Amino acid sequence: MRVLAAMSGGVDSAVAAARAVDAGHEVVGVHLALSATPGTLRTGSRGCCSKEDAGDARRAADVLGIPFYVWDFADRFKEDVIDDFVAAYAAGETPNPCLRCNEKIKFSALADRAAALGFDAVVTGHYARLEDGVLRRAVDADKDQSYVLAVLTAQQLSRAMFPVGDTPKPQIRAEAAERGLAVANKPDSHDICFIPSGDTRAFLGAKIGIRPGAVVDADGEVLANHEGVHGFTIGQRKGLGLPGPAADGKPRYVTGIDPDSGTVRVGSAEDLQVWTVQADRAIWTSGSAPAGPIECVAQVRAHGGTASAVAEAVGDGLIVRLREPLTGVARGQAVVLYRPDASGDEVIGSGTINGTSRDASDAVSSAGASTVQ
C-alpha cells in the first residue's frame, strides 16, 4: 500500500514508519506543525511539535530513506483541540485533548488529506493493535493508548495502522538503536503537548480570565473562594485553597462543579463514587450501535481503573450501569467500553461523559444482568 507515516519526532513513530517500510509499503513521512510559534527546543519530556522534534523526524526519515514533508495544521489544531480544551474547562468539564487530537486531527484532517493525495492509510506510533478492523489494547499495558483511540469510527480505523502495538516499549527503543535512529533514547513526551510548562491552571487562567466563585461543602457552607472553575476537576484533592481537612480529619475532594454559579463542591472520598455514567457522542468501533444492552468493562481515564458494567445505546449516546463504583468520573472525559472476554482488550465503543449518578440502586446486579449481545 501507499501509506503516510505521521512522524512526531519521537521513537515510537520512527519505528512505526520503519516497520511500514519493512512490510513493503510505499511510505512517505510527514511531521505535523501544530503550533504557529513552535519552540526551538523541548523542555525535557514536556511538550512536543518543537523545531527540534521536526528536525528529529526529518533525520529519522533520512535514515529510512523515505520522502519527508512538514504539513501546517496549526490553525486546525487550535480550533479543534486547544479551543475545545479551553471551552470544556470553562464549562466545568475535564476534557482529554489527546482524544480530540486523534479524532479531529490525525485521523480526520490528516487522514482526509492523505486519502485525497492517494494514500491508503495513515501510520502512527500509537500503542494499540488493529486485527481485522478490531481495535485492541497494546501488548505493553503501561503504554496502551487504545483508550485515546476509542473515538475513531470504523471508517477511520480502516485507514489506520499501528505497527508498534504488539511490542513492549523497551524493545521499541532497542530496535530504534539497532536501526541507527538517533531518537532511540529520546524521552517520551508527557503532560499536555501545547502546555510545555505543565501548569494547566495558569494556561487556562490566561485564556479564560478570573471568574470568582466559592468552594462549598455538602451543606452549602462556604469554605473558600476561588478565581475560576477551570482550576478544578472532579476528584481533585490538592490545590483547593482550604484551610485544612474536614472536621473528621479526612481529606476533601472536588465532588461537583457548577460553571454557571461558579460553585465548587467538596466532600469525602465516598462522595466520589458513581454507579451510572451517561454519555453522548457515542462511537461504536463496529460501525453500528448494539441492538440492546451489552456486557462490557468500562474505563473512564486513560490509565484509570475499570469496572464491570452493562452498557446500552440511547439515541446518539449511551448509558453505562456499573457493577462496582468508579471514582473521579468527570463530565468531558470519555467512557470507553471493552469486551469482557478472557483477554479484555477489544474496544467496543466510547462516549463523552455528560452525567453521572451516585444512586447505587441504578447499579447492575450479577444475577440480574441485561441481555448480552
Side-chain angles (χ1 to χ4, degrees):
M1 294 192 297
R2 188 165 184 257
V3 301
L4 190 71
M7 303 182 70
S8 66
V11 61
D12 302 320
S13 60
V15 172
R19 289 185 170 187
V21 172
D22 289 350
H25 301 301
E26 179 186 346
V27 182
V28 174
V30 63
H31 179 79
L32 302 186
L34 301 179
S35 173
T37 56
T40 301
L41 300 174
R42 295 176 69 200
T43 305
S45 61
R46 283 181 169 160
C48 69
C49 311
S50 68
K51 294 178 182 178
E52 175 189 1
D53 292 314
D56 288 342
R58 181 178 297 277
R59 283 184 286 274
D62 289 343
V63 171
L64 300 177
I66 61 175
F68 178 83
Y69 301 92
V70 175
W71 287 357
D72 184 356
F73 277 73
D75 290 343
R76 182 72 182 267
F77 184 77
K78 178 182 181 301
E79 178 182 349
D80 288 341
V81 180
I82 300 178
D83 291 351
D84 175 84
F85 178 82
V86 173
Y89 263 102
E93 300 176 352
T94 304
N96 185 318
C98 293
L99 285 160
R100 293 294 165 258
C101 184
N102 288 330
E103 177 187 13
K104 300 292 188 178
I105 305 299
K106 293 175 183 174
F107 297 96
S108 181
L110 175 62
D112 288 347
R113 182 180 294 186
L117 293 173
F119 289 94
D120 300 301
V122 170
V123 176
T124 72
H126 284 99
Y127 280 82
R129 291 176 293 154
L130 269 175
E131 298 176 359
D132 297 325
V134 175
L135 178 64
R136 297 183 180 278
R137 292 188 187 274
V139 167
D140 190 332
D142 291 334
K143 292 295 180 180
D144 175 53
Q145 292 175 298
S146 61
Y147 176 89
V148 295
L149 293 169
V151 292
L152 303 186
T153 65
Q155 182 181 17
Q156 289 171 327
L157 289 172
S158 71
R159 296 188 293 169
M161 295 173 63
F162 308 127
V164 302
D166 63 353
T167 308
K169 181 62 176 267
Q171 293 182 29
I172 293 296
R173 289 197 179 280
E175 181 178 332
E178 292 172 0
R179 292 178 180 274
L181 296 169
V183 293
N185 295 312
K186 186 175 180 178
D188 292 337
S189 59
H190 297 293
D191 298 323
I192 299 169
C193 70
F194 52 86
I195 310 179
S197 68
D199 192 339
T200 301
R201 179 176 287 191
F203 173 85
L204 291 168
K207 298 286 187 181
I208 298 172
I210 296 176
R211 298 193 304 170
V215 179
V216 306
D217 62 16
D219 296 323
E221 180 182 350
V222 176
L223 305 176
N225 295 310
H226 64 77
E227 296 184 345
V229 298
H230 58 266
F232 302 89
T233 186
I234 301 298
Q236 180 178 332
R237 175 182 174 183
K238 298 181 179 180
L240 304 183
L242 303 180
D248 59 8
K250 295 182 180 180
R252 287 180 280 208
Y253 303 82
V254 174
T255 59
I257 300 172
D258 184 345
D260 294 329
S261 66
T263 302
V264 175
R265 295 191 306 277
V266 296
S268 67
E270 290 74 18
D271 293 332
L272 288 173
Q273 296 182 344
V274 301
W275 290 91
T276 304
V277 177
Q278 298 96 32
D280 56 17
R281 301 179 70 248
I283 295 171
W284 304 96
T285 54
S286 66
S288 60
I294 56 170
E295 293 282 353
C296 64
V297 173
Q299 182 171 330
V300 294
R301 288 184 298 281
H303 294 285
T306 60
S308 173
V310 170
E312 185 174 7
V314 180
D316 294 332
L318 57 90
I319 185 167
V320 184
R321 293 183 173 85
L322 306 172
R323 286 198 171 84
E324 56 267 2
L326 288 172
T327 61
V329 184
R331 291 186 303 112
Q333 292 175 325
V335 56
V336 176
L337 313 178
Y338 292 85
R339 192 170 298 283
D341 56 15
S343 63
D345 61 8
E346 179 183 336
V347 176
I348 303 172
S350 71
T352 301
I353 298 171
N354 61 7
T356 61
S357 170
R358 295 183 53 231
D359 189 349
S361 66
D362 291 336
V364 180
S365 68
S366 296
S370 301
T371 303
V372 178
Q373 294 190 349

